[in-house]
Amino acid sequence: MQITPIPCLTDNYAYIISDNNSKIVGVVDPSEALPIISFLNKKNLQLSYILNTHHHFDHIGGNAELKKLYNAKVVGFVGDKHRIPGIDIALKDNEKWTFGNSQVKILHIPGHTLGHICFFFEKEKAAFTGDTLFSLGCGRIFEGDHRQMLTSLEKIKKLPKDTKIYCGHEYTYKNAEFCIKYDNDNIDLKKQFEKVKKLRLNNLPTIPTNLEDELKSNIFLRCDQNDLKIKLNMKNQEDFKIFKKVRDLKDSF
Ligand SMILES: [Fe+2]
C-alpha cells in the first residue's frame, strides 16, 4: 500500500492511499479537489473512497467535487453524518472497515471536534490522526474538553510503537519550538528537531512521523512523565493538570 502526502491550501496535507493489488484508491481529508485530481490524473488512478477524520472545512472542502467526478464513496464518523458532506459510509467507534485488502479500525478521538476519528490501518500500522495528534503537537480543543482530548491521545498512545502517524497539517517546526521551550534538555526532542529543520529547509514534509519518536519527544504525550512534571514545577500533580497547563501554554505561544 502506498501513502502519498498531497500538500493542500497553506499547510494542510491530504493523503492518497493506493492499494496496488486491489487497485482501490482513497484520499484522506481532501481540503480541496484540484491537487488530488492532478495527482490521480498523473498516476492514472481512479478514486474509490474519500475518508474524513472530521468535519472542518480544511478537511472536507474537496468532498463534493471529488465525489461527483469519480463517484467515490465518502467515509466518516456516524456521529457526524449531519456535517460530513456527501457521507455514504458512517462508521462507529472501534468498528472495522475494509479498504481493498486492508482492515481499518476506527478510533473515536473527540476533543478537537466531538466527532473526530482516527483511521488505523492495522496491517500497515498507519494512523491518520487528523487534527488530534500532530507531529510534536496536538490539536486545539474546539468542541470537546481537555479531559476528552487527553483520553483521545491516550488511545493513540496504545497503538503499536512502530505505527506511522499521518496528521492533518505541517505544523511540526513551530510545534518543535514550543516543545523545546519547556522540555529543553530532552535529547530525543533535540535530535528530532534537527531532522525537522533539515526537512523543512528543503521544503520536504516532516510527515509521516512515528509513534515511538512522538512518545519520546511530543510534550503532549509526555504529561505522565515525572521529569516533565518537574520541569514545569508541577511535581506529583495529576497528568490531566499537566496536559491542561501545556495546552494552555501552547494556545498562547
Ligand atoms: Fe480541524
Side-chain angles (χ1 to χ4, degrees), residues 20 36 46 48 50-51 59 61 70 79 84 90 93 101 110 117 122 158 167 171 173 184 194-195 206 217 231 233 239:
N20 299 332
I36 311 303
Q46 281 291 318
S48 317
I50 298 162
L51 288 69
H59 295 257
Y70 297 98
I84 300 275
D93 186 25
N101 297 320
I117 54 170
E122 293 182 313
K158 288 194 189 110
C167 59
Y171 288 161
Y173 192 97
N184 53 14
E194 288 313 308
K195 219 161 68 181
T206 61
S217 306
K231 282 180 220 176
N233 289 321
D239 303 352

PDB file of all heavy atoms in Angstrom, residues 20 36 46 48 50-51 59 61 70 79 84 90 93 101 110 117 122 158 167 171 173 184 194-195 206 217 231 233 239:
ATOM      1  N   ASN A  20      -2.031  -1.378  -4.290  1.00  0.00           N
ATOM      2  CA  ASN A  20      -1.562  -1.846  -5.601  1.00  0.00           C
ATOM      3  C   ASN A  20      -2.240  -3.125  -6.058  1.00  0.00           C
ATOM      4  O   ASN A  20      -2.473  -3.318  -7.246  1.00  0.00           O
ATOM      5  CB  ASN A  20      -0.041  -2.062  -5.577  1.00  0.00           C
ATOM      6  CG  ASN A  20       0.682  -0.769  -5.266  1.00  0.00           C
ATOM      7  OD1 ASN A  20       0.173   0.313  -5.562  1.00  0.00           O
ATOM      8  ND2 ASN A  20       1.850  -0.877  -4.648  1.00  0.00           N
ATOM      9  N   ILE A  36      -5.682  16.941  -5.716  1.00  0.00           N
ATOM     10  CA  ILE A  36      -5.974  15.497  -5.695  1.00  0.00           C
ATOM     11  C   ILE A  36      -6.209  15.014  -7.132  1.00  0.00           C
ATOM     12  O   ILE A  36      -5.645  14.002  -7.559  1.00  0.00           O
ATOM     13  CB  ILE A  36      -7.237  15.192  -4.834  1.00  0.00           C
ATOM     14  CG1 ILE A  36      -7.170  15.883  -3.467  1.00  0.00           C
ATOM     15  CG2 ILE A  36      -7.462  13.693  -4.701  1.00  0.00           C
ATOM     16  CD1 ILE A  36      -5.977  15.566  -2.624  1.00  0.00           C
ATOM     17  N   GLN A  46      -8.062   5.910 -10.317  1.00  0.00           N
ATOM     18  CA  GLN A  46      -9.479   6.228 -10.109  1.00  0.00           C
ATOM     19  C   GLN A  46      -9.752   6.246  -8.608  1.00  0.00           C
ATOM     20  O   GLN A  46      -9.308   5.345  -7.904  1.00  0.00           O
ATOM     21  CB  GLN A  46     -10.350   5.143 -10.747  1.00  0.00           C
ATOM     22  CG  GLN A  46     -10.510   5.258 -12.257  1.00  0.00           C
ATOM     23  CD  GLN A  46     -11.347   6.472 -12.653  1.00  0.00           C
ATOM     24  OE1 GLN A  46     -12.363   6.758 -12.012  1.00  0.00           O
ATOM     25  NE2 GLN A  46     -10.900   7.187 -13.678  1.00  0.00           N
ATOM     26  N   SER A  48     -11.794   5.679  -5.272  1.00  0.00           N
ATOM     27  CA  SER A  48     -12.937   4.895  -4.775  1.00  0.00           C
ATOM     28  C   SER A  48     -13.533   5.478  -3.499  1.00  0.00           C
ATOM     29  O   SER A  48     -14.742   5.420  -3.300  1.00  0.00           O
ATOM     30  CB  SER A  48     -12.502   3.460  -4.457  1.00  0.00           C
ATOM     31  OG  SER A  48     -11.671   2.944  -5.450  1.00  0.00           O
ATOM     32  N   ILE A  50     -13.382   8.561  -0.187  1.00  0.00           N
ATOM     33  CA  ILE A  50     -12.932   9.798   0.464  1.00  0.00           C
ATOM     34  C   ILE A  50     -13.099   9.572   1.969  1.00  0.00           C
ATOM     35  O   ILE A  50     -14.211   9.295   2.440  1.00  0.00           O
ATOM     36  CB  ILE A  50     -13.795  10.995   0.009  1.00  0.00           C
ATOM     37  CG1 ILE A  50     -13.662  11.202  -1.502  1.00  0.00           C
ATOM     38  CG2 ILE A  50     -13.424  12.265   0.786  1.00  0.00           C
ATOM     39  CD1 ILE A  50     -14.771  12.055  -2.120  1.00  0.00           C
ATOM     40  N   LEU A  51     -12.014   9.645   2.717  1.00  0.00           N
ATOM     41  CA  LEU A  51     -12.051   9.394   4.165  1.00  0.00           C
ATOM     42  C   LEU A  51     -11.891  10.728   4.893  1.00  0.00           C
ATOM     43  O   LEU A  51     -10.941  11.467   4.625  1.00  0.00           O
ATOM     44  CB  LEU A  51     -10.906   8.454   4.580  1.00  0.00           C
ATOM     45  CG  LEU A  51     -10.988   6.976   4.194  1.00  0.00           C
ATOM     46  CD1 LEU A  51     -10.839   6.785   2.693  1.00  0.00           C
ATOM     47  CD2 LEU A  51      -9.897   6.172   4.891  1.00  0.00           C
ATOM     48  N   HIS A  59     -10.707  19.988   5.776  1.00  0.00           N
ATOM     49  CA  HIS A  59     -10.565  18.533   5.673  1.00  0.00           C
ATOM     50  C   HIS A  59     -11.611  17.927   4.740  1.00  0.00           C
ATOM     51  O   HIS A  59     -11.432  16.812   4.260  1.00  0.00           O
ATOM     52  CB  HIS A  59     -10.651  17.891   7.064  1.00  0.00           C
ATOM     53  CG  HIS A  59      -9.508  18.308   7.935  1.00  0.00           C
ATOM     54  ND1 HIS A  59      -8.429  17.498   8.204  1.00  0.00           N
ATOM     55  CD2 HIS A  59      -9.245  19.492   8.545  1.00  0.00           C
ATOM     56  CE1 HIS A  59      -7.559  18.173   8.946  1.00  0.00           C
ATOM     57  NE2 HIS A  59      -8.034  19.374   9.172  1.00  0.00           N
ATOM     58  N   GLY A  61     -13.302  20.080   2.259  1.00  0.00           N
ATOM     59  CA  GLY A  61     -13.591  21.045   1.191  1.00  0.00           C
ATOM     60  C   GLY A  61     -13.655  20.447  -0.213  1.00  0.00           C
ATOM     61  O   GLY A  61     -14.360  20.956  -1.081  1.00  0.00           O
ATOM     62  N   TYR A  70     -15.648  11.208  -9.513  1.00  0.00           N
ATOM     63  CA  TYR A  70     -15.211   9.800  -9.509  1.00  0.00           C
ATOM     64  C   TYR A  70     -16.290   8.850  -9.015  1.00  0.00           C
ATOM     65  O   TYR A  70     -16.049   7.646  -8.941  1.00  0.00           O
ATOM     66  CB  TYR A  70     -13.976   9.642  -8.619  1.00  0.00           C
ATOM     67  CG  TYR A  70     -12.776  10.414  -9.109  1.00  0.00           C
ATOM     68  CD1 TYR A  70     -12.448  11.662  -8.574  1.00  0.00           C
ATOM     69  CD2 TYR A  70     -11.952   9.904 -10.117  1.00  0.00           C
ATOM     70  CE1 TYR A  70     -11.345  12.367  -9.020  1.00  0.00           C
ATOM     71  CE2 TYR A  70     -10.849  10.606 -10.573  1.00  0.00           C
ATOM     72  CZ  TYR A  70     -10.549  11.837 -10.015  1.00  0.00           C
ATOM     73  OH  TYR A  70      -9.461  12.543 -10.456  1.00  0.00           O
ATOM     74  N   GLY A  79     -21.490   9.699  14.155  1.00  0.00           N
ATOM     75  CA  GLY A  79     -21.974  10.819  14.968  1.00  0.00           C
ATOM     76  C   GLY A  79     -21.896  12.154  14.250  1.00  0.00           C
ATOM     77  O   GLY A  79     -22.478  13.146  14.699  1.00  0.00           O
ATOM     78  N   ILE A  84     -20.682  15.848   7.656  1.00  0.00           N
ATOM     79  CA  ILE A  84     -19.667  15.381   6.694  1.00  0.00           C
ATOM     80  C   ILE A  84     -20.364  15.370   5.328  1.00  0.00           C
ATOM     81  O   ILE A  84     -21.234  14.538   5.088  1.00  0.00           O
ATOM     82  CB  ILE A  84     -19.153  13.959   7.036  1.00  0.00           C
ATOM     83  CG1 ILE A  84     -18.516  13.889   8.425  1.00  0.00           C
ATOM     84  CG2 ILE A  84     -18.216  13.442   5.948  1.00  0.00           C
ATOM     85  CD1 ILE A  84     -17.075  14.277   8.525  1.00  0.00           C
ATOM     86  N   ALA A  90     -21.095   5.425   7.179  1.00  0.00           N
ATOM     87  CA  ALA A  90     -20.978   6.040   8.509  1.00  0.00           C
ATOM     88  C   ALA A  90     -20.508   4.980   9.495  1.00  0.00           C
ATOM     89  O   ALA A  90     -21.181   3.974   9.715  1.00  0.00           O
ATOM     90  CB  ALA A  90     -22.323   6.616   8.939  1.00  0.00           C
ATOM     91  N   ASP A  93     -17.304   3.959  16.565  1.00  0.00           N
ATOM     92  CA  ASP A  93     -16.068   3.768  17.328  1.00  0.00           C
ATOM     93  C   ASP A  93     -15.743   2.274  17.392  1.00  0.00           C
ATOM     94  O   ASP A  93     -16.644   1.446  17.598  1.00  0.00           O
ATOM     95  CB  ASP A  93     -16.273   4.315  18.756  1.00  0.00           C
ATOM     96  CG  ASP A  93     -14.997   4.291  19.568  1.00  0.00           C
ATOM     97  OD1 ASP A  93     -13.894   4.323  18.975  1.00  0.00           O
ATOM     98  OD2 ASP A  93     -15.096   4.277  20.816  1.00  0.00           O
ATOM     99  N   ASN A 101      -7.444  -4.683   0.478  1.00  0.00           N
ATOM    100  CA  ASN A 101      -7.015  -5.844   1.267  1.00  0.00           C
ATOM    101  C   ASN A 101      -6.687  -5.468   2.706  1.00  0.00           C
ATOM    102  O   ASN A 101      -6.067  -6.242   3.429  1.00  0.00           O
ATOM    103  CB  ASN A 101      -5.768  -6.483   0.634  1.00  0.00           C
ATOM    104  CG  ASN A 101      -6.071  -7.014  -0.750  1.00  0.00           C
ATOM    105  OD1 ASN A 101      -7.137  -7.577  -0.988  1.00  0.00           O
ATOM    106  ND2 ASN A 101      -5.145  -6.809  -1.679  1.00  0.00           N
ATOM    107  N   PRO A 110     -12.476  12.278  20.334  1.00  0.00           N
ATOM    108  CA  PRO A 110     -13.014  13.638  20.448  1.00  0.00           C
ATOM    109  C   PRO A 110     -12.087  14.576  21.221  1.00  0.00           C
ATOM    110  O   PRO A 110     -11.202  14.121  21.938  1.00  0.00           O
ATOM    111  CB  PRO A 110     -14.318  13.420  21.221  1.00  0.00           C
ATOM    112  CG  PRO A 110     -14.094  12.182  22.019  1.00  0.00           C
ATOM    113  CD  PRO A 110     -13.191  11.309  21.188  1.00  0.00           C
ATOM    114  N   ILE A 117     -12.390  11.307  14.306  1.00  0.00           N
ATOM    115  CA  ILE A 117     -11.948   9.901  14.339  1.00  0.00           C
ATOM    116  C   ILE A 117     -10.535   9.762  13.780  1.00  0.00           C
ATOM    117  O   ILE A 117     -10.023  10.656  13.101  1.00  0.00           O
ATOM    118  CB  ILE A 117     -12.897   8.948  13.550  1.00  0.00           C
ATOM    119  CG1 ILE A 117     -13.102   9.442  12.109  1.00  0.00           C
ATOM    120  CG2 ILE A 117     -14.213   8.765  14.268  1.00  0.00           C
ATOM    121  CD1 ILE A 117     -13.827   8.435  11.212  1.00  0.00           C
ATOM    122  N   GLU A 122      -4.535  -1.505  10.165  1.00  0.00           N
ATOM    123  CA  GLU A 122      -3.908  -2.406  11.143  1.00  0.00           C
ATOM    124  C   GLU A 122      -2.651  -3.083  10.623  1.00  0.00           C
ATOM    125  O   GLU A 122      -1.607  -3.051  11.272  1.00  0.00           O
ATOM    126  CB  GLU A 122      -4.930  -3.444  11.599  1.00  0.00           C
ATOM    127  CG  GLU A 122      -6.062  -2.798  12.394  1.00  0.00           C
ATOM    128  CD  GLU A 122      -7.066  -3.804  12.898  1.00  0.00           C
ATOM    129  OE1 GLU A 122      -7.503  -4.666  12.110  1.00  0.00           O
ATOM    130  OE2 GLU A 122      -7.420  -3.736  14.089  1.00  0.00           O
ATOM    131  N   LYS A 158      -1.689   3.953  22.716  1.00  0.00           N
ATOM    132  CA  LYS A 158      -1.735   2.497  22.882  1.00  0.00           C
ATOM    133  C   LYS A 158      -1.550   1.738  21.573  1.00  0.00           C
ATOM    134  O   LYS A 158      -1.467   0.506  21.569  1.00  0.00           O
ATOM    135  CB  LYS A 158      -3.065   2.103  23.521  1.00  0.00           C
ATOM    136  CG  LYS A 158      -3.127   2.493  24.985  1.00  0.00           C
ATOM    137  CD  LYS A 158      -4.286   1.826  25.716  1.00  0.00           C
ATOM    138  CE  LYS A 158      -4.447   2.395  27.113  1.00  0.00           C
ATOM    139  NZ  LYS A 158      -5.666   3.204  27.259  1.00  0.00           N
ATOM    140  N   CYS A 167      -0.740  13.110   9.946  1.00  0.00           N
ATOM    141  CA  CYS A 167      -1.636  14.106  10.548  1.00  0.00           C
ATOM    142  C   CYS A 167      -2.064  15.151   9.518  1.00  0.00           C
ATOM    143  O   CYS A 167      -1.598  15.147   8.375  1.00  0.00           O
ATOM    144  CB  CYS A 167      -0.952  14.761  11.743  1.00  0.00           C
ATOM    145  SG  CYS A 167       0.582  15.585  11.342  1.00  0.00           S
ATOM    146  N   TYR A 171       2.701  21.408  10.834  1.00  0.00           N
ATOM    147  CA  TYR A 171       2.922  22.355  11.929  1.00  0.00           C
ATOM    148  C   TYR A 171       4.199  22.002  12.701  1.00  0.00           C
ATOM    149  O   TYR A 171       4.468  22.584  13.762  1.00  0.00           O
ATOM    150  CB  TYR A 171       1.766  22.275  12.950  1.00  0.00           C
ATOM    151  CG  TYR A 171       0.435  22.854  12.527  1.00  0.00           C
ATOM    152  CD1 TYR A 171      -0.734  22.476  13.200  1.00  0.00           C
ATOM    153  CD2 TYR A 171       0.334  23.789  11.499  1.00  0.00           C
ATOM    154  CE1 TYR A 171      -1.968  23.015  12.849  1.00  0.00           C
ATOM    155  CE2 TYR A 171      -0.899  24.319  11.144  1.00  0.00           C
ATOM    156  CZ  TYR A 171      -2.041  23.927  11.825  1.00  0.00           C
ATOM    157  OH  TYR A 171      -3.268  24.462  11.492  1.00  0.00           O
ATOM    158  N   TYR A 173       7.516  22.275  12.675  1.00  0.00           N
ATOM    159  CA  TYR A 173       8.604  23.166  13.069  1.00  0.00           C
ATOM    160  C   TYR A 173       8.199  24.038  14.266  1.00  0.00           C
ATOM    161  O   TYR A 173       8.895  24.114  15.269  1.00  0.00           O
ATOM    162  CB  TYR A 173       9.026  24.033  11.877  1.00  0.00           C
ATOM    163  CG  TYR A 173      10.317  24.778  12.121  1.00  0.00           C
ATOM    164  CD1 TYR A 173      11.529  24.282  11.663  1.00  0.00           C
ATOM    165  CD2 TYR A 173      10.322  25.977  12.840  1.00  0.00           C
ATOM    166  CE1 TYR A 173      12.715  24.953  11.906  1.00  0.00           C
ATOM    167  CE2 TYR A 173      11.495  26.655  13.091  1.00  0.00           C
ATOM    168  CZ  TYR A 173      12.690  26.141  12.620  1.00  0.00           C
ATOM    169  OH  TYR A 173      13.855  26.801  12.870  1.00  0.00           O
ATOM    170  N   ASN A 184      13.665  21.488  27.395  1.00  0.00           N
ATOM    171  CA  ASN A 184      14.871  21.848  26.641  1.00  0.00           C
ATOM    172  C   ASN A 184      16.044  20.880  26.757  1.00  0.00           C
ATOM    173  O   ASN A 184      16.947  20.913  25.941  1.00  0.00           O
ATOM    174  CB  ASN A 184      15.326  23.279  26.985  1.00  0.00           C
ATOM    175  CG  ASN A 184      15.463  23.443  28.491  1.00  0.00           C
ATOM    176  OD1 ASN A 184      15.467  22.461  29.223  1.00  0.00           O
ATOM    177  ND2 ASN A 184      15.565  24.682  28.950  1.00  0.00           N
ATOM    178  N   GLU A 194      16.405  18.608  14.877  1.00  0.00           N
ATOM    179  CA  GLU A 194      17.435  18.740  13.830  1.00  0.00           C
ATOM    180  C   GLU A 194      16.944  18.117  12.524  1.00  0.00           C
ATOM    181  O   GLU A 194      17.135  18.673  11.433  1.00  0.00           O
ATOM    182  CB  GLU A 194      18.748  18.082  14.278  1.00  0.00           C
ATOM    183  CG  GLU A 194      19.480  18.850  15.370  1.00  0.00           C
ATOM    184  CD  GLU A 194      19.597  20.352  15.094  1.00  0.00           C
ATOM    185  OE1 GLU A 194      20.065  20.715  14.000  1.00  0.00           O
ATOM    186  OE2 GLU A 194      19.189  21.157  15.966  1.00  0.00           O
ATOM    187  N   LYS A 195      16.300  16.959  12.631  1.00  0.00           N
ATOM    188  CA  LYS A 195      15.757  16.274  11.453  1.00  0.00           C
ATOM    189  C   LYS A 195      14.701  17.149  10.774  1.00  0.00           C
ATOM    190  O   LYS A 195      14.680  17.318   9.557  1.00  0.00           O
ATOM    191  CB  LYS A 195      15.126  14.951  11.917  1.00  0.00           C
ATOM    192  CG  LYS A 195      15.362  13.798  10.990  1.00  0.00           C
ATOM    193  CD  LYS A 195      15.142  12.448  11.658  1.00  0.00           C
ATOM    194  CE  LYS A 195      13.722  12.146  12.031  1.00  0.00           C
ATOM    195  NZ  LYS A 195      13.523  10.848  12.707  1.00  0.00           N
ATOM    196  N   THR A 206       7.481  16.730   6.943  1.00  0.00           N
ATOM    197  CA  THR A 206       8.014  16.050   8.138  1.00  0.00           C
ATOM    198  C   THR A 206       7.130  14.851   8.483  1.00  0.00           C
ATOM    199  O   THR A 206       7.353  14.183   9.480  1.00  0.00           O
ATOM    200  CB  THR A 206       8.030  17.000   9.337  1.00  0.00           C
ATOM    201  OG1 THR A 206       6.683  17.416   9.607  1.00  0.00           O
ATOM    202  CG2 THR A 206       8.883  18.225   9.065  1.00  0.00           C
ATOM    203  N   SER A 217       9.264  12.570  22.370  1.00  0.00           N
ATOM    204  CA  SER A 217       9.543  13.990  22.119  1.00  0.00           C
ATOM    205  C   SER A 217       8.343  14.922  22.155  1.00  0.00           C
ATOM    206  O   SER A 217       8.507  16.118  22.344  1.00  0.00           O
ATOM    207  CB  SER A 217      10.196  14.146  20.737  1.00  0.00           C
ATOM    208  OG  SER A 217      11.313  13.324  20.628  1.00  0.00           O
ATOM    209  N   LYS A 231      10.080  19.714  35.418  1.00  0.00           N
ATOM    210  CA  LYS A 231      10.473  20.878  34.615  1.00  0.00           C
ATOM    211  C   LYS A 231       9.396  21.966  34.628  1.00  0.00           C
ATOM    212  O   LYS A 231       9.689  23.149  34.490  1.00  0.00           O
ATOM    213  CB  LYS A 231      10.739  20.460  33.167  1.00  0.00           C
ATOM    214  CG  LYS A 231      12.084  19.793  32.952  1.00  0.00           C
ATOM    215  CD  LYS A 231      12.265  19.401  31.500  1.00  0.00           C
ATOM    216  CE  LYS A 231      12.933  18.035  31.436  1.00  0.00           C
ATOM    217  NZ  LYS A 231      13.074  17.527  30.082  1.00  0.00           N
ATOM    218  N   ASN A 233       7.532  22.601  37.146  1.00  0.00           N
ATOM    219  CA  ASN A 233       7.249  22.902  38.554  1.00  0.00           C
ATOM    220  C   ASN A 233       5.888  22.360  38.986  1.00  0.00           C
ATOM    221  O   ASN A 233       5.139  23.012  39.718  1.00  0.00           O
ATOM    222  CB  ASN A 233       7.282  24.419  38.826  1.00  0.00           C
ATOM    223  CG  ASN A 233       8.687  24.950  38.751  1.00  0.00           C
ATOM    224  OD1 ASN A 233       9.618  24.283  39.199  1.00  0.00           O
ATOM    225  ND2 ASN A 233       8.846  26.122  38.146  1.00  0.00           N
ATOM    226  N   ASP A 239      -1.754  13.845  35.776  1.00  0.00           N
ATOM    227  CA  ASP A 239      -1.435  14.009  34.357  1.00  0.00           C
ATOM    228  C   ASP A 239      -2.355  15.039  33.699  1.00  0.00           C
ATOM    229  O   ASP A 239      -1.926  15.847  32.869  1.00  0.00           O
ATOM    230  CB  ASP A 239      -1.594  12.670  33.611  1.00  0.00           C
ATOM    231  CG  ASP A 239      -0.729  11.574  34.222  1.00  0.00           C
ATOM    232  OD1 ASP A 239       0.085  11.882  35.111  1.00  0.00           O
ATOM    233  OD2 ASP A 239      -0.895  10.410  33.800  1.00  0.00           O
TER     234      ASP A 239
END
